Amino acid sequence: MFALRTFIIAVAIASANALTSSLQQVTANFGSNPTNVKMYQYKPTALATPTPLIIAMHYCTGTAQAYFSGTNLAQLADQHGFIVVYPNAPTSGGCWDVATTATLTHNGGGDSLGIANLVRYAIANWGVDASRVFATGTSSGAMMTNVLMGAYPDLFAAGSLYSGVPYGCFAGPSAWNSQCAQGQLSKTPQAWGDQVRSGYPGFTGTRPKVQFWHGTADTTLYPQNFQEEIKQWTNVFGVSQTPTANISNNPQSGYSRASFGPNVQAILAQGVGHTVPEHETDTLDWFGLSSLTPGSSNPGNPGTTTPPTSTPPTTSAPPATTSPTGATAAHYAQCGGIGYSGPTVCAAPYTCKAANAYYSQCL
């Protein structure tokens, strides 16, 4: 009897997690694809009308198939009726080209052009809603998300990136940029913003809103990159680096969510290394797709507004508390700021330095 019950439970779990469709390679000629980025589509059996599209990009050493099986985006696609495309990086190491002038320039070439042309093809041939195209990714995929936000703002409504770096931070002759990775490449907000604007010179339309996640214990792409991203995207949108809202333990314990108006959101994960785990339902909130259902018609562009579950209300933040006796914050970790409740003393030889009223860091 116990064995039978266990079997029934296992079957029930498998059925709950079963997908309505399968991952299929896109074999159609979708336009110029200079680096031969392979594309894989997950199309649920039931779609929302018109249909949103999410581009989901894997990390270095990863693959489209690994990101498909390692995230819950396909299950959410079944629930909400959007299409997911998982590009596959063409390099032997599985990293995306986020360094060349070509990939950083609108219609310039590189990996980004192949992805952009897939989006254009999907809009023209798959019934995809041109106003609801989004991108997300982890590590190298997060970097490519930033590249797409800067070089193709005409195609994307929003991006959500996990453990990446600012747009253009890796720019240069090498695929890897140690100065950027180690958080040593610091620029003024204006310089960072100008770098984004250089991706598509003369663009005057609505720019995609950006959400980024980073861990304080990241030693692959150091958390200073989180601060540089704040500088960059607040400048792009012409808003203050002081958050309009900041809430601790959101979306989970140890995380803090800062909003800089409706278009920039930054989530910092205390003690989390490389990479921050994907929070797919939160990302879906940011994209404005949480209430979408197959067959429904949602006119307009939900990606231009911030859903209530994704952005905390603008209220007075709780006062910072002192750190527990003997607790210290590690190098690059947060050590203070309004609403912060962790250690305020840095491990030797580092000192706590304020970036703004809401964030201080051990440097």
Side-chain angles (χ1 to χ4, degrees):
M1 179 65 71
F2 176 78
L4 178 60
R5 188 189 306 116
T6 302
F7 174 76
I8 292 172
I9 292 172
V11 170
I13 292 173
S15 298
N17 293 331
L19 298 174
T20 67
S21 187
S22 60
L23 190 65
Q24 301 289 332
Q25 184 172 356
V26 178
T27 57
N29 179 4
F30 53 84
S32 177
N33 184 15
T35 60
N36 194 29
V37 177
K38 289 183 171 58
M39 306 291 179
Y40 295 84
Q41 177 202 56
Y42 183 78
K43 182 180 179 180
T45 55
L47 294 173
T49 305
T51 310
L53 170 66
I54 296 177
I55 305 295
M57 290 162 290
H58 63 76
Y59 41 85
C60 279
T61 75
T63 62
Q65 290 81 1
Y67 211 55
F68 166 70
S69 60
T71 64
N72 290 326
L73 286 170
Q75 288 83 352
L76 290 170
D78 281 343
Q79 181 180 344
H80 297 285
F82 55 81
I83 294 172
V84 188
V85 166
Y86 302 85
N88 199 88
T91 61
S92 58
C95 296
W96 294 101
D97 171 17
V98 295
T100 67
T101 300
T103 201
L104 290 166
T105 304
H106 185 77
N107 290 338
D111 293 350
S112 66
L113 179 59
I115 296 170
N117 280 334
L118 184 281
V119 170
R120 291 163 176 153
Y121 180 87
I123 292 169
N125 296 277
W126 296 351
V128 164
D129 183 350
S131 69
R132 291 189 294 178
V133 178
F134 310 95
T136 187
T138 295
S139 191
S140 183
M143 298 186 207
M144 178 53 78
T145 300
N146 248 341
V147 168
L148 295 174
M149 298 302 100
Y152 296 93
D154 55 325
L155 295 179
F156 292 89
S160 178
L161 44 144
Y162 293 85
S163 305
V165 301
Y167 173 92
C169 195
F170 264 42
S174 300
W176 183 259
N177 186 317
S178 294
Q179 184 186 24
C180 174
Q182 294 173 10
Q184 298 169 354
L185 186 56
S186 180
K187 298 185 179 184
T188 65
Q190 183 68 40
W192 277 128
D194 286 346
Q195 197 144 14
V196 170
R197 288 181 283 271
S198 73
Y200 189 174
F203 177 75
T204 58
T206 301
R207 290 194 177 269
K209 65 180 195 172
V210 180
Q211 176 194 69
F212 37 91
W213 307 66
H214 218 105
T216 63
D218 194 331
T219 56
T220 300
L221 298 173
Y222 282 50
Q224 182 59 34
N225 283 297
F226 179 78
Q227 298 304 316
E228 302 303 312
E229 285 179 310
I230 290 174
K231 290 183 191 177
Q232 183 170 70
W233 288 104
T234 53
N235 180 267
V236 168
F237 283 101
V239 297
S240 171
Q241 291 180 60
T242 300
T244 55
N246 196 342
I247 187 169
S248 299
N249 299 317
N250 185 281
Q252 68 183 65
S253 178
Y255 285 54
S256 58
R257 187 192 304 269
S259 297
F260 305 82
N263 297 312
V264 182
Q265 194 175 90
I267 299 99
L268 190 65
Q270 290 295 324
V272 177
H274 194 79
T275 58
V276 175
E278 293 83 1
H279 288 62
E280 295 92 336
T281 55
D282 200 297
T283 289
L284 220 61
D285 281 345
W286 182 247
F287 292 164
L289 300 179
S290 293
S291 62
L292 190 72
T293 55
S296 67
S297 179
N298 288 29
N301 181 5
T304 60
T305 59
T306 305
T309 56
S310 179
T311 303
T314 306
T315 58
S316 298
T321 60
T322 57
S323 58
T325 304
T328 59
H331 189 203
Y332 290 114
Q334 186 174 2
C335 54
I338 298 173
Y340 173 72
S341 59
T344 57
V345 177
C346 295
Y350 309 109
T351 58
C352 191
K353 297 183 178 180
N356 54 55
Y358 288 85
Y359 188 85
S360 298
Q361 187 177 26
C362 291
L363 299 172

